[in-house]
Amino acid sequence: QTRFLSSKSDTEKVMCAGKVPKYFTVEEGKSYMWCSCGRSKKQPLCDGAHKGTSFWPVKYTADKSGSVKFCMCKSTKSQPLCDASHLKVLLPWFFGGPRGVKAGTLYERIEK
């Protein structure tokens, strides 16, 4: 459900898949397809739910084995890894982000 007035259509908006990053175990040399639209049921990975939107999955290849923080709010500037953009979603009154965003909500990706 769209909650914000916007000039963008729903297919151009991201869906907030979560307000905090997801720690994900990766293996060195293995590639992962990160969901950039937020619509995947297999978060943080892509399941093809972006079809019909303006989004595509982002390929991430692990340079070492371990845990990484994948962005779940989908507004990170360092896709697919978290850059703390979720703070604008989690605390909009403090950081100047969009208000009323909950997991499962469509919103315009934060560009600033």
Side-chain angles (χ1 to χ4, degrees):
Q1 175 182 4
T2 303
R3 296 179 53 118
F4 306 102
L5 294 175
S6 167
S7 60
K8 292 190 175 186
S9 70
D10 285 355
T11 61
E12 298 173 293
K13 294 179 184 176
V14 293
M15 181 173 287
C16 179
K19 288 191 169 188
V20 294
K22 171 128 183 171
Y23 287 85
F24 194 81
T25 302
V26 296
E27 295 176 34
E28 181 178 352
K30 187 172 178 183
S31 294
Y32 301 86
M33 298 304 284
W34 175 73
C35 169
S36 67
C37 72
R39 292 162 173 81
S40 173
K41 300 290 186 224
K42 295 182 178 184
Q43 290 295 331
L45 304 179
C46 178
D47 68 1
H50 61 274
K51 288 182 176 72
T53 72
S54 59
F55 299 96
W56 293 94
V58 174
K59 183 177 180 181
Y60 173 79
T61 303
D63 56 358
K64 63 181 181 177
S65 294
S67 185
V68 296
K69 291 190 304 185
F70 278 127
C71 173
M72 295 294 284
C73 75
K74 310 305 177 181
S75 283
T76 183
K77 311 296 178 292
S78 57
Q79 293 181 351
L81 303 178
C82 174
D83 70 355
S85 289
H86 62 277
L87 293 175
K88 291 182 179 180
V89 176
L90 190 61
L91 304 167
W93 59 90
F94 190 76
F95 292 102
R99 295 181 185 266
V101 176
K102 296 186 248 180
T105 303
L106 291 172
Y107 74 101
E108 284 190 43
R109 176 177 278 150
I110 300 167
E111 301 294 335
K112 297 178 187 172

